[in-house]
């Protein structure tokens, strides 16, 4: 039953314009139901965001696919994710990248996602319980950075976490909306491109 729903979701993502076959195949490989509580599990392959613990959300599959596609991840890349949440986006990235470092500010979610990574044997994920806005200094530089919580702006420290040709994707709050912005570092300058309107929980400071 889940397989039929999963195939339908993949077709829906393709129809919505997701064309990167590696991204689609990563979505096919990772069981989204594992990241969702019993209550909502029957909706795991619907193209919608769902509630997770601590009033947070697992992103809509289309948004995960879109952000992953825009991030342009290569097999040799080291990726940083800020906002582990359920761990689903991180699991998708772990299929495409060499290693994924992920940071979560809510201890409960950090611990729950680690258990799922272990269960699914996603051994190239390294996670940390911290405020992600501090970045992960010991592991600099990253090839790619993804924020999965909406920020007003990205601090300069994070921009120094990527090398030339590095990419950062982040939902940015602008005029009462959130827009997906892709930042590319070229010859020590940052170029930005705007994409879809999105709806993410806010990027908050400190840990809980
Ligand atoms: N990528 C997640 C999306 C979860 S929602 C998924 O696939 O499920 C965003 C998450 O970002 C929440 O869990 C929230 O606690 C976390 N978050 C918000 N601000 C943060 C910060 N400054 N540092 C680390 N995590 C943060």
């Amino acid at each position: 039953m889940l397989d039929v729903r999963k195939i339908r979701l993949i077709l829906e993502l393709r129809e919505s314009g997701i064309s990167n076959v590696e991204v689609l195949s990563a979505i096919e490989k990772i069981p989204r139901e594992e990241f969702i509580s019993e209550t909502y599990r029957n909706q795991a392959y619907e193209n919608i965001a769902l509630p997770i613990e601590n009033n947070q959300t697992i992103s809509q599959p289309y948004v995960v696919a879109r952000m992953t596609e825009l991030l342009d991840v290569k097999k040799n890349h080291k990726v940083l994710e800020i906002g582990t949440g359920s761990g689903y986006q991180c699991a998708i990235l772990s299929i495409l990248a060499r290693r994924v470092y992920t940071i979560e500010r809510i201890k409960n979610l950090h611990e729950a996602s680690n258990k799922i990574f272990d269960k699914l044997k996603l051994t190239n994920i390294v996670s940390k319980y911290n405020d992600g806005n501090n970045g992960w200094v010991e592991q600099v530089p990253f090839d790619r950075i993804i924020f999965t919580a909406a920020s007003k702006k990205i601090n300069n420290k994070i921009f120094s976490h990527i090398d030339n040709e590095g990419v950062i994707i982040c939902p940015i709050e602008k005029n009462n909306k959130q827009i997906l912005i892709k930042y590319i570092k070229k010859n020590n300058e940052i170029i930005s491109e705007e994409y879809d309107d999105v709806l993410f929980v806010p990027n908050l400071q400190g840990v809980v």
Side-chain angles (χ1 to χ4, degrees):
M1 190 57 187
L2 278 178
D3 273 358
V4 175
R5 291 187 199 172
K6 199 183 244 190
I7 291 163
R8 205 182 296 147
L9 173 64
I10 303 284
L11 288 174
E12 194 178 326
L13 295 176
R14 286 178 58 167
E15 277 163 17
S16 310
I18 306 297
S19 56
N20 185 317
V21 287
E22 273 120 32
V23 172
L24 291 167
S25 126
I27 288 179
E28 206 174 332
K29 269 195 201 122
I30 296 294
R32 189 168 182 253
E33 67 274 18
E34 294 288 345
F35 299 85
I36 293 170
S37 71
E38 210 65 68
T39 326
Y40 299 101
R41 205 158 278 176
N42 63 341
Q43 297 177 74
Y45 292 103
E46 286 180 29
N47 194 13
I48 50 174
L50 290 167
I52 56 171
E53 285 187 49
N54 303 79
N55 283 325
Q56 304 302 309
T57 50
I58 174 168
S59 308
Q60 180 192 3
Y62 171 76
V63 174
V64 172
R66 180 74 173 137
M67 287 176 91
T68 310
E69 194 170 71
L70 288 172
L71 201 58
D72 189 21
V73 183
K74 303 278 189 292
K75 204 61 212 161
N76 62 340
H77 279 172
K78 195 168 143 187
V79 179
L80 173 66
E81 179 193 38
I82 296 167
T84 318
S86 68
Y88 179 67
Q89 169 78 74
C90 183
I92 298 290
L93 291 169
S94 78
I95 302 290
L96 303 167
R98 177 162 58 86
R99 199 170 288 276
V100 187
Y101 295 82
T102 184
I103 312 176
E104 172 57 54
R105 66 180 289 277
I106 300 177
K107 193 164 199 187
N108 181 37
L109 295 177
H110 163 73
E111 287 172 352
S113 56
N114 273 338
K115 285 197 186 115
I116 308 169
F117 299 149
D118 284 349
K119 183 176 174 191
L120 300 180
K121 301 194 169 64
L122 302 173
T123 53
N124 61 340
I125 296 175
V126 188
S127 67
K128 178 152 100 170
Y129 166 57
N130 202 349
D131 179 344
N133 298 313
N134 298 326
W136 199 316
V137 179
E138 302 80 3
Q139 290 300 335
V140 166
F142 292 94
D143 300 291
R144 300 288 184 260
I145 300 178
I146 180 170
F147 283 77
T148 64
S151 310
K152 288 199 174 57
K153 69 184 200 71
I154 296 182
N155 67 38
N156 287 334
K157 191 192 216 168
I158 297 291
F159 281 121
S160 71
H161 272 35
I162 52 167
D163 269 343
N164 200 27
E165 304 293 328
V167 171
I168 300 177
I169 300 278
C170 184
I172 294 284
E173 292 170 14
K174 214 172 163 184
N175 307 327
N176 292 322
K177 286 201 307 186
Q178 293 178 10
I179 305 169
L180 218 48
I181 302 196
K182 175 170 177 170
Y183 299 92
I184 308 157
K185 200 184 249 188
K186 282 210 171 114
N187 306 321
N188 274 321
E189 269 190 60
I190 303 286
I191 299 165
S192 69
E193 298 170 353
E194 294 192 2
Y195 292 92
D196 317 39
D197 286 4
V198 283
L199 197 56
F200 277 87
V201 294
N203 179 330
L204 301 175
Q205 289 189 346
V207 294
V208 286

